[in-house]
């Protein structure tokens, strides 16, 4: 006869069952954590991208409105109209953006806000308000380009498409 007690085999089975259940639980918890982190990352990326696109569109709309009013010889809309139209798009960017993107967005905002205000080049002798306005308006695309560049850097947007993988589908890198 063997020296193993009658309860030894069931005890070994219970221990291995509990160890298997604990290992399965740990693997499932790790997998859920990775999935939720992936979802949070995608949500973060989408929230920022949506906020940036809305703000870029609002800036483009304001710039277009300034150009058409200047070309028609009309006064630009008052600053409060501009702030009411751009403000809702600017606030999420101020909350969600990193420092460089926030600074670039505020630089564009200040430039456009200055263009919507009274042109008072009294500090510069010999400058006409129309010329001053035209020069400031010509700087807007340059400041917008810096804003777009900061967005691209923050979101990891590259100007080349992803390389195809072995199975023929594009792979994302980064």
């Amino acid at each position: 006869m063997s020296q193993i007690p009658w309860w030894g085999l069931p005890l070994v089975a219970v221990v291995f069952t509990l160890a298997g259940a604990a290992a399965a639980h740990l693997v499932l918890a790790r997998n859920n954590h990775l999935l939720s982190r992936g979802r949070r990352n995608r949500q973060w990326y989408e929230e920022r991208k949506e906020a940036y696109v809305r703000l870029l569109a609002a800036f483009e709309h304001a710039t277009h409105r300034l150009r058409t009013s200047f070309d028609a010889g009309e006064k630009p809309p008052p600053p409060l109209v501009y702030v009411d139209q751009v403000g809702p798009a600017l606030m999420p960017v101020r909350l969600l953006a990193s420092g460089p993107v926030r600074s670039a967005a505020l630089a564009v905002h200040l430039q456009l806000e200055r263009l919507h205000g009274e042109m008072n080049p009294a500090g510069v002798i010999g400058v006409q308000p129309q010329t001053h306005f035209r020069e400031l308006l010509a700087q807007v695309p340059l400041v917008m380009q810096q804003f777009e560049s900061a967005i691209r850097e923050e979101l990891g947007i590259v100007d080349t498409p992803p390389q195809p993988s072995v199975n023929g589908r594009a792979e994302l890198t980064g």
Side-chain angles (χ1 to χ4, degrees):
M1 242 169 105
S2 100
Q3 298 291 339
I4 301 174
W6 66 270
W7 47 267
L9 186 60
L11 178 66
V12 169
V14 166
V15 167
F16 278 102
T17 302
L18 289 176
H25 180 70
L26 289 174
V27 168
L28 184 63
R30 180 183 173 272
N31 202 17
N32 285 341
H33 174 72
L34 291 175
L35 287 174
S36 70
R37 186 171 59 180
R39 262 186 257 118
R40 280 194 318 264
N41 287 346
R42 277 190 302 280
Q43 181 181 2
W44 170 89
Y45 182 85
E46 289 301 319
E47 282 179 5
R48 285 187 172 195
K49 186 172 75 169
E50 182 181 325
Y52 297 161
V53 167
R54 272 187 285 145
L55 185 59
L56 282 167
F59 284 158
E60 287 293 333
H61 182 70
T63 304
H64 176 71
R65 196 173 51 246
L66 282 170
R67 285 186 198 283
T68 56
S69 66
F70 179 74
D71 291 342
E74 301 170 355
K75 285 183 71 173
L80 287 179
V81 171
Y82 164 74
V83 170
D84 286 343
Q85 291 174 346
V86 172
L90 182 62
M91 287 306 128
V93 172
R94 289 177 69 180
L95 292 174
L96 295 172
S98 65
V101 172
R102 187 173 36 256
S103 296
L106 290 176
V108 176
H109 173 64
L110 291 175
Q111 184 79 4
L112 289 172
E113 196 173 43
R114 187 179 310 140
L115 286 165
H116 280 85
E118 284 293 317
M119 286 289 116
N120 187 11
V124 181
I125 299 171
V127 174
Q128 297 176 347
Q130 294 83 8
T131 306
H132 185 61
F133 184 86
R134 194 175 320 117
E135 288 173 354
L136 287 177
L137 191 59
Q139 292 175 5
V140 171
L142 300 174
V143 182
M144 285 279 287
Q145 186 179 20
Q146 292 172 346
F147 178 44
E148 292 167 5
S149 175
I151 290 172
R152 280 192 179 98
E153 185 176 328
E154 179 178 291
L155 295 180
I157 298 172
V158 294
D159 58 354
T160 56
Q163 298 297 322
S165 68
V166 176
N167 62 4
R169 292 178 22 196
E171 286 185 359
L172 296 177
T173 59

